[in-house]
Amino acid sequence: MKSKISGLSIALVLLTAVSGQARPRSAEELIAFLEEAQKDCEWKTRNLTGGPKGRMLLHKRIMDDVLERLKAGQPVDPRKLEQALAVHGG
């Protein structure tokens, strides 16, 4: 049991470290990152059904809104930005 817990905690630390480093730093990187994630999200929605598809569509809509505001040079709500950067509504 202890090895399962420590293995899980190590995996969570690695995941957090990797996802933190993978975050874009400039507006151009952010736009490119979100556009790529948007393409991936579109592909995933074609293969999902039911609730998971609904959650993915909602996540895609948040990414669309954030991207639209970033491209227009408008301010973006930090909570919306965090939601858009989340790993596809996971």
Side-chain angles (χ1 to χ4, degrees):
M1 178 75 174
K2 189 173 183 176
S3 65
K4 285 183 183 179
I5 292 173
S6 46
L8 178 60
S9 61
I10 290 171
L12 288 174
V13 168
L14 289 175
L15 180 62
T16 303
V18 169
S19 65
Q21 291 175 354
R23 294 284 171 115
R25 301 196 188 278
S26 69
E28 294 81 22
E29 289 176 350
L30 183 60
I31 290 170
F33 178 84
L34 286 173
E35 285 175 340
E36 190 64 33
Q38 191 178 39
K39 290 176 191 174
D40 185 47
C41 196
E42 288 172 6
W43 180 83
K44 286 181 179 181
T45 56
R46 285 186 236 132
N47 297 311
L48 293 172
T49 59
K53 182 174 185 166
R55 285 188 296 278
M56 188 62 69
L57 288 170
L58 178 61
H59 182 68
K60 184 181 176 307
R61 184 64 203 147
I62 291 169
M63 285 192 301
D64 291 345
D65 290 344
V66 169
L67 260 174
E68 185 178 309
R69 293 185 71 79
L70 285 171
K71 287 180 178 180
Q74 298 174 342
V76 177
D77 181 2
R79 289 175 291 172
K80 290 278 187 184
L81 184 58
E82 276 299 313
Q83 289 174 344
L85 290 174
V87 180
H88 295 301

